[in-house]
Every structure is written in structure tokens, then in C-alpha cells.
Amino acid sequence: MKRMNIRLPFLLTLAVLLLILVACAPPVLETPTPAAMPAPEIPTINVEITADGINVPAEVPSGIVAFTLQNSGPEGSFDIARLNEGVTTDQLNEALASGDDLAALALVSLNGGASGNVDNKVIYDLAPGSYVAVSFPNAGPPIVVQPFTSGEDSGAAAPTADITVQLVDFQFALPNEIKAGQNVWQIENKGGQWHEMGILKLNEGSTVDDLIAWIESQSSDTPSGPPPFEDVAFWSPMAVGNTAWVTWDIPAGEYTVICFLPDLVGDGSPHFAHGMVRTLTVTE
Ligand SMILES: [Cu+2]
């Protein structure tokens, strides 16, 4: 009993002291976890094509980056491409000037580009490195190449896609039916070689066979007249492993999705001949 009488007040005092210490301790500041911080907005790079060339900033972020295009120059398409390791813009220009498209192609990794898209905007997921902005006029002046570099990661999150399409050897992995209206398309090249994606509307009464016959006639001595289709949307050639996002507003109807690119790894025949052509239904 005596021992308890001594110890109890001692223990009580200790407990009170501890309570005071805890109460007076400075609060532990909680550092926000990365997940709690909102990702930065997707940076937008404005590209301008004029009669004199392409204006693009000398440096853009890497990672998720949007490019918007204003074209007051010749009509045509705009793409970006990453220069392969060790390749210079001069080497690319020399290859383009020599007219050897395959030699030029071997120097770069194509990121693709869009036509028929809403707001002329394309979102890329860029690896850091040296790039070129390329304008391909439909007619007249030659291809124009403007170098730029892709530096620090934008940190922006990838956009949310309404429709995902995977380009593989040799088909388009996408739903058979999609909803009409503005949709964000996520386009991924999951194949072993380059791919593109044309979304065409066949003329009334025309078939896929008519379309293929027309394409083949274009490189013959007797090219046939106007195409049996209308271009609705186009994603230009994209190298293996790339992903991009584009918004298209496609009205309800039946469409043909096709890749015209030659099989550079195999027999050189167009990808549609290997089966890269299909129907897409767009519903109200
Ligand atoms: Cu293809």
C-alpha cells in the first residue's frame, strides 16, 4: 500500500506533464500530396502558316501540349515530327530537297496532324527533343520545315477521350458505332509501323471497291475523274508509339475509315490492301 501511495501521484503528475507537452507542441504542417494538387492546364502553342513560312515558338513544353493552327498561307496540311537522335534540320532539308521522301522519312518520327478538326487544335504527348513543324501545301510551293525544341514537361493531364482508336497492323480498333457531334478522339499507334486514318463519306451509290479502284487509278496512266467520296476528317501519318487527341464533329451517317500508307516493312502495298479499311456508323 505504501508503495502505491508514492507512485500514484508521481504517475498522475507525469501524465499531466505529457498532456501539457502535447498541447503546446507546434501543429504538424501537412504537406499536400501531389495527387491533391490540380494538374496545370494544357499549354497551347499557336502556330501560324503564312505565305513566308511557319511561325512556331523556338521552345515548347514536352508532355501534354496543344497546338492550334492559323493558316493564312497556301492550303495544305500541318504536322509535327521529332528528329531522330543525332539528326539535324539541315540533313532533313537536304533529304527533302533531293526528292527522296523515304530518305527524309527515315530521319524523323512522325507525330501526325489533323484536318477537319474543331478549332484547328491538336493535343500531342511530346517526348523531349528536337522537332520540326512541317507544312505540306496541297499544290505549288514546296514543303516548309521549321525547327523547335520540346523541353520541360508541361505536367498537364491528358484530355478525357470520348472515342479511342488504336492503329494496329492492319486494322482500326474502334467501336462500330459512335454518337454524332463533338467528340474528343484519342488516337494511338499501337502497331509496328506508321499509320494514318482517313474518315471518308462515299458518294451515293459508291462502294469501297469504287474507292480503291479510284485510288489505284491515280497512279496509273489513266487517272479517273473526281473521287467517289468526300473527305470528312483525316489523321495524317503517325509513327509507332505516339498518342494524340483531336476533336471532330462528325454528323450521323455511314463512313469509311481507311489507311492509304504503303507497307514499308513488308511488300510495299497500301495498308488498306492488308485489311486496314472498315465502316463506321455515326448515330444521332
Ligand atoms: Cu496503316
Side-chain angles (χ1 to χ4, degrees), residues 2-221:
K2 199 181 175 190
R3 274 175 69 192
M4 282 291 283
N5 282 342
I6 293 168
R7 274 193 92 172
L8 198 60
F10 171 72
L11 286 173
L12 276 172
T13 311
L14 189 66
V16 168
L17 273 173
L18 277 171
L19 271 174
I20 291 167
L21 273 174
V22 168
C24 295
V28 177
L29 291 174
E30 278 192 20
T31 47
T33 57
M37 291 193 287
E41 275 194 29
I42 298 175
T44 299
I45 307 302
N46 295 308
V47 177
E48 197 187 4
I49 296 180
T50 67
D52 300 325
I54 309 175
N55 294 324
V56 56
E59 181 163 339
V60 308
S62 63
I64 305 293
V65 184
F67 281 67
T68 55
L69 180 66
Q70 268 199 314
N71 189 353
S72 60
E75 264 197 55
S77 64
F78 167 81
D79 295 352
I80 65 172
R82 184 165 184 254
L83 294 173
N84 291 343
E85 215 57 51
V87 173
T88 65
T89 313
D90 285 347
Q91 285 172 316
L92 177 64
N93 278 324
E94 274 169 38
L96 286 170
S98 75
D100 188 346
D101 290 349
L102 287 183
L105 192 61
L107 302 176
V108 298
S109 171
L110 301 168
N111 293 78
S115 67
N117 48 329
V118 173
D119 293 343
N120 292 319
K121 183 169 160 184
V122 172
I123 297 171
Y124 297 100
D125 186 0
L126 297 182
S130 300
Y131 284 79
V132 283
V134 190
S135 143
F136 299 93
N138 290 342
I143 295 171
V144 181
V145 165
Q146 181 64 42
F148 66 93
T149 59
S150 168
E152 206 172 311
D153 197 304
S154 72
T160 305
D162 300 305
I163 296 160
T164 298
V165 50
Q166 293 185 338
L167 312 171
V168 296
D169 310 349
F170 291 96
Q171 55 178 298
F172 297 96
L174 86 159
N176 293 324
E177 248 185 53
I178 63 164
K179 283 271 178 204
Q182 281 197 16
N183 286 305
V184 175
W185 291 61
Q186 177 171 321
I187 304 164
E188 308 172 323
N189 186 347
K190 295 276 189 183
Q193 60 171 289
W194 66 339
H195 293 294
E196 64 184 4
M197 181 173 70
I199 301 178
L200 316 176
K201 180 101 182 107
L202 291 173
N203 294 348
E204 199 70 38
S206 292
T207 64
V208 170
D209 286 344
D210 297 333
L211 159 68
I212 289 172
W214 181 86
I215 295 160
E216 282 166 353
S217 88
Q218 297 308 296
S219 53
S220 74
D221 293 336

